[in-house]
C-alpha cells in the first residue's frame, strides 16, 4: 500500500495569487493530499440561495494542476450566521439548558430537521458540482468535539420521543425496561418523557443510556444523510475526521457509512488535556506526547475504517487549545508520521499549511509561519516524503493480540461509575499500555466481533454488555482470553442480570459483591502488585489462578478463558499479561520507558518517545528517533 502525505489548506483565507505558489511548494516537498472547504459555507453561500462558486472552482483547479489531490469537506460544522435567522431554534442546549451560541463552530443540534435539510441541500450542491473533480470527501468536521454530541433542545426531545416509540412500541414496555416503578417514574405516554437533565438527583440510568444511544444514532444518521447524497454523484471515497478520546458517539456505527476513518492527532495537546497520568509522566513526555496514546487511536481507527484509515490532522508544532502548549522535541513531527504509517495509515496530513494570523487559531502552528517562511514541520514533512520514496511498501499483518473496544460501555460507566475515576476509556487504555510496554502489536476489535481465531490472546475489559456474537465467539475460541473486570455486568436495559455476571461460557464464577476503592486503599495480590479502584469478590468452582492477600480469587480460569476480578496496577498487569502470552507462545520484551515497537508485515519499527537516546538489544535509538528493520 502506498503511503502519502498531505496538509489542510484554507484558500478562502489567502489572496488568490498566493494559491499557485502554495500549491507548488506543497508538491515540491512531496505532499499528495490537500483538504479544503470544511469551514467555508459562508463564502460558498454568502446569503441564502446566493452562491459564489468561482473561488472554489479556481482553488480546486490550481491545486489539481500542481498534481495535488483534493479532499473536499462538507461545510456543515460551521453554519453561517444567516442560518440562525432561518432556524433560530437550531442551536444545541447544554445539560443546564444554556444555548450553545454563534461565534465559533459546531453550533448546531444534530436533531434539528430544518438544519438537516439545509445540510442536505449544500451537500447536494457540492456533490453535483465537484463529484468528478475531487479525489476524496470529508463529512463535516470532528463530530462530538467541544462536547457537542448531546443536545437538550426541544428538537432533541421530540426526536428522542419518536426514537423511544419506535424502540419500545408502548409506554408499558418502556416502563418495564427502565424499571420506572422505582421512585414512581411511570409514564402514560411517550409525550410525557423528557430529557434526563436537570433532575433533582441522578436520573434513571436506563433513561440516560437510551438518550446516549439516541444521541449517537443522531450522529450516524446525520452523517448518513451526507454520504447517501455524495455517493449518488461521486465515486470518490468518503471520510470523517474523528478526535482523540472522544467517546460520546459510536464511531463504528458512524464509520459503517464511510470508506475511510481519519483522526486528528495532537500528541502534546492530548497529553496535556485528556490523559490520566502523573505529573512526572506528563513532564517527561511534554514535548513528545504519551508513548501509547497515538498508537491506540491508530489501531482503533484502523478498526473503525475496516482497514482504511488516515491521520487527517497531524500536530505540526505548538497548538492553541491545550492548557499548556510546548514546542515538540525536534524530530517528533517525523516520528509521529512514521508511527502512523507503521500502524497502516494510508496518509498523514499536517494541520495546517500556514499558521493563521487571525481569529481563534492564530496561535496554532503550521507548516509555514504566518510570514510564509518554513516552520520545522515543513522540513520534517519533506524528510518523511523522501524516506517514503526510498522505502519499499509496508505490508499489513495481523497482531497476535486483540483488544475489544465498546463505545456503549463508555456511556454506561459514565452513567453509573460507582466509584470516582472509573472511566471506560482510561481502563481500556491502561490495558493497551500494558501490552505495548511488553513490546506487543495490538489490533482493536469492535464489540460485535464474531470471530477471534486470528488471535492468540484477546482482552475484553469492562464491557458492560457482551453481545451474543461475542459470547458465541468466546465459547468457540481456543486461544487465551482475559475478560473483566466489570464485563457483562449489565443487561442491555441497564439492569443487573441474572444469572449474575460475568456469566461466561463454561466458567463457574459469580460476582457476588463489588467495591470501589480510594487511591490509598489498594488490595494487594498474593503474587505481587495490587487491585486499585475496582475490586470484585468471586464465588464458584472455577480454577483460581491468583488470589488477593485477603484470600479472595483475583483471577479465575477455565481452559484459556480467564476472568479478572479487579483493576490491576502496572506491576500486576505486566505479570498477568506476560504469563498469558508465554502460555500462548507470544514473545514479550519489556521495553525501556518511552521505547515502543510495532510490527508491520516484514518490518519492525522502533520509536523512541524519550528525550534521551536509548539502547535496547543492540540497537541505539536517538531521542525522537525512528528505526526500522526487516525481519524474517
Amino acid at each position: 500500500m502506498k503511503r502519502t502525505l498531505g496538509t489542510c489548506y484554507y484558500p478562502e483565507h489567502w489572496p488568490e495569487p498566493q494559491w499557485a505558489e502554495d500549491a507548488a511548494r506543497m508538491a515540491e516537498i512531496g505532499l499528495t493530499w490537500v483538504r479544503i472547504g470544511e469551514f467555508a459555507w459562508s463564502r460558498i453561500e454568502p446569503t441564502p440561495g446566493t452562491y459564489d462558486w468561482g473561488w472554489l472552482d479556481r482553488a480546486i483547479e490550481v491545486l489539481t494542476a500542481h498534481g495535488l489531490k483534493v479532499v473536499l469537506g462538507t461545510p456543515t460544522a460551521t453554519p453561517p450566521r444567516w442560518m440562525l435567522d432561518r432556524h433560530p431554534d437550531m442551536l444545541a442546549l447544554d445539560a443546564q439548558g444554556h444555548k450553545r451560541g454563534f461565534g465559533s463552530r459546531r453550533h448546531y443540534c444534530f436533531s434539528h430537521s430544518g438544519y438537516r435539510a439545509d445540510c442536505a441541500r449544500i451537500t447536494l450542491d457540492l456533490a453535483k458540482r465537484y463529484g468528478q473533480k475531487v479525489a476524496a470527501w470529508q463529512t463535516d468536521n470532528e463530530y462530538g468535539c467541544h462536547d457537542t454530541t448531546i443536545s437538550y433542545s426541544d428538537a432533541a426531545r421530540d426526536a428522542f420521543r419518536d426514537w423511544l416509540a419506535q424502540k419500545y412500541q408502548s409506554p408499558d414496555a418502556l416502563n418495564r425496561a427502565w424499571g420506572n416503578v422505582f421512585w414512581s417514574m411511570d409514564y402514560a405516554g411517550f409525550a410525557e418523557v423528557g430529557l434526563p437533565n436537570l433532575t433533582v438527583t441522578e436520573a434513571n440510568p436506563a433513561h440516560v443510556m437510551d438518550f446516549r444511544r439516541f444521541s449517537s444514532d443522531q450522529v450516524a444518521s446525520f452523517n448518513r444523510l451526507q454520504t447517501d447524497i455524495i455517493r449518488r454523484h461521486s465515486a470518490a471515497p468518503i471520510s470523517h475526521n474523528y478526535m482523540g478520546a472522544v467517546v460520546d458517539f459510536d464511531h463504528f456505527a458512524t464509520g459503517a457509512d464511510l470508506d475511510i476513518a481519519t483522526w486528528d492527532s495532537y500528541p502534546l495537546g492530548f497529553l496535556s488535556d485528556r490523559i490520566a497520568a502523573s505529573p512526572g509522566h506528563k513532564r517527561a513526555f511534554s514535548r513528545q506526547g504519551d508513548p501509547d496514546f497515538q498508537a491506540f487511536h491508530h489501531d482503533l481507527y484502523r478498526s473503525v475504517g475496516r482497514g482504511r484509515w488516515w491521520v487527517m490532522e497531524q500536530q505540526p508544532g505548538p497548538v492553541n487549545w491545550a492548557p499548556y502548549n510546548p514546542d515538540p522535541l525536534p524530530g517528533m513531527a517525523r516520528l509521529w508520521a512514521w508511527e502512523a504509517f507503521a500502524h497502516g495509515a494510508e496518509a498523514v496530513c499536517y494541520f495546517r499549511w500556514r499558521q493563521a494570523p487571525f481569529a481563534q487559531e492564530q496561535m496554532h502552528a503550521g507548516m509555514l509561519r504566518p510570514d510564509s517562511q518554513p516552520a520545522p514541520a515543513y522540513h520534517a514533512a519533506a524528510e518523511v516524503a523522501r524516506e517514503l520514496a526510498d522505502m519499499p511498501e509496508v505490508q499489513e499483518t495481523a497482531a497476535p493480540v486483540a483488544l475489544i473496544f465498546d463505545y456503549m460501555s463508555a456511556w454506561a460507566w459514565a452513567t453509573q461509575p460507582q466509584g470516582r475515576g472509573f472511566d471506560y476509556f482510561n481502563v481500556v487504555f491502561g490495558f493497551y499500555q500494558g501490552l505495548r510496554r511488553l513490546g506487543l502489536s495490538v489490533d482493536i476489535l469492535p464489540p460485535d466481533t464474531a470471530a477471534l481465531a486470528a488471535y492468540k490472546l484477546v482482552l475484553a475489559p469492562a464491557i458492560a454488555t457482551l453481545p451474543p456474537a461475542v459470547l458465541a465467539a468466546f465459547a468457540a475460541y481456543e486461544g487465551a482470553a482475559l475478560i473483566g473486570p466489570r464485563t457483562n455486568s449489565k443487561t442491555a436495559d441497564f439492569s443487573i442480570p441474572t444469572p449474575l455476571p460475568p456469566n461466561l461460557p463454561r466458567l463457574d464464577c459469580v460476582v457476588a459483591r463489588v467495591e470501589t476503592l480510594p487511591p490509598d486503599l489498594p488490595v494487594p495480590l498474593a503474587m505481587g502488585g495490587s487491585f486499585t479502584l475496582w475490586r470484585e469478590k468471586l464465588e464458584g468452582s472455577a480454577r483460581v489462578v491468583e488470589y488477593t492477600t485477603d484470600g479472595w480469587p483475583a483471577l479465575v480460569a477455565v481452559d484459556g478463558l480467564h476472568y479478572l476480578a479487579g483493576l490491576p496496577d502496572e506491576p500486576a498487569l505486566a505479570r498477568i499479561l506476560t504469563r498469558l502470552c508465554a502460555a500462548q507462545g507470544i514473545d514479550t520484551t519489556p521495553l525501556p520507558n518511552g521505547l515502543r515497537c510495532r510490527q508491520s508485515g516484514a518490518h519492525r519499527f522502533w520509536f523512541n518517545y524519550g528525550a534521551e537516546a536509548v539502547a535496547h538489544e543492540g540497537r541505539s535509538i536517538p531521542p525522537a528517533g525512528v528505526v526500522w528493520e526487516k525481519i524474517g
Side-chain angles (χ1 to χ4, degrees), residues 25 132 157 179 235 261 297 300 386 398 474 494 538 567 569 587:
R25 295 177 76 180
Q132 308 307 313
R157 180 202 61 205
H297 288 84
L300 173 62
R386 291 191 297 270
F474 277 124
F494 209 89
L538 305 182
L567 281 178
D569 62 11
D587 292 332

Side-chain angles (χ1 to χ4, degrees), residues 282-318:
K282 291 193 174 187
R283 183 169 56 252
F285 295 104
S286 61
R287 298 188 184 276
Q288 305 98 280
D290 182 88
D292 302 302
F293 191 83
Q294 289 68 245
F296 176 89
H297 288 84
H298 297 339
D299 292 334
L300 173 62
Y301 291 122
R302 186 174 67 252
S303 182
V304 171
R306 301 175 300 284
R308 295 198 66 185
W309 73 278
W310 299 11
V311 174
M312 186 61 84
E313 298 183 15
Q314 178 61 68
Q315 179 170 355

Side-chain angles (χ1 to χ4, degrees), residues 61-74:
E61 290 169 1
V62 167
L63 294 168
T64 55
H66 285 82
L68 298 164
K69 297 181 179 180
V70 172
V71 181
L72 183 58
T74 63

Side-chain angles (χ1 to χ4, degrees), residues 71 136-139 223 237-241 258-262 312:
V71 181
W137 294 86
Q138 176 183 294
T139 56
N223 185 73
I238 309 172
S239 68
H240 177 77
N241 57 329
L258 298 167
D259 303 297
I260 303 170
T262 79
M312 186 61 84

Side-chain angles (χ1 to χ4, degrees), residues 238-356:
I238 309 172
S239 68
H240 177 77
N241 57 329
Y242 304 98
M243 282 287 285
V246 171
V247 294
D248 293 344
F249 66 98
D250 188 337
H251 298 184
F252 290 110
T254 298
D257 297 304
L258 298 167
D259 303 297
I260 303 170
T262 79
W263 83 286
D264 296 348
S265 176
Y266 291 94
L268 305 191
F270 291 153
L271 175 67
S272 183
D273 87 337
R274 66 193 64 187
I275 293 178
S278 69
H281 179 88
K282 291 193 174 187
R283 183 169 56 252
F285 295 104
S286 61
R287 298 188 184 276
Q288 305 98 280
D290 182 88
D292 302 302
F293 191 83
Q294 289 68 245
F296 176 89
H297 288 84
H298 297 339
D299 292 334
L300 173 62
Y301 291 122
R302 186 174 67 252
S303 182
V304 171
R306 301 175 300 284
R308 295 198 66 185
W309 73 278
W310 299 11
V311 174
M312 186 61 84
E313 298 183 15
Q314 178 61 68
Q315 179 170 355
V319 297
N320 63 297
W321 46 264
Y324 304 99
N325 297 290
D327 196 14
L329 189 73
M332 289 310 299
R334 171 178 173 263
L335 182 151
W336 294 328
W338 270 113
E339 186 169 42
F341 290 134
H343 285 256
E346 296 178 16
V348 172
C349 301
Y350 291 91
F351 184 89
R352 52 191 286 162
W353 173 246
R354 180 184 289 102
Q355 184 174 348

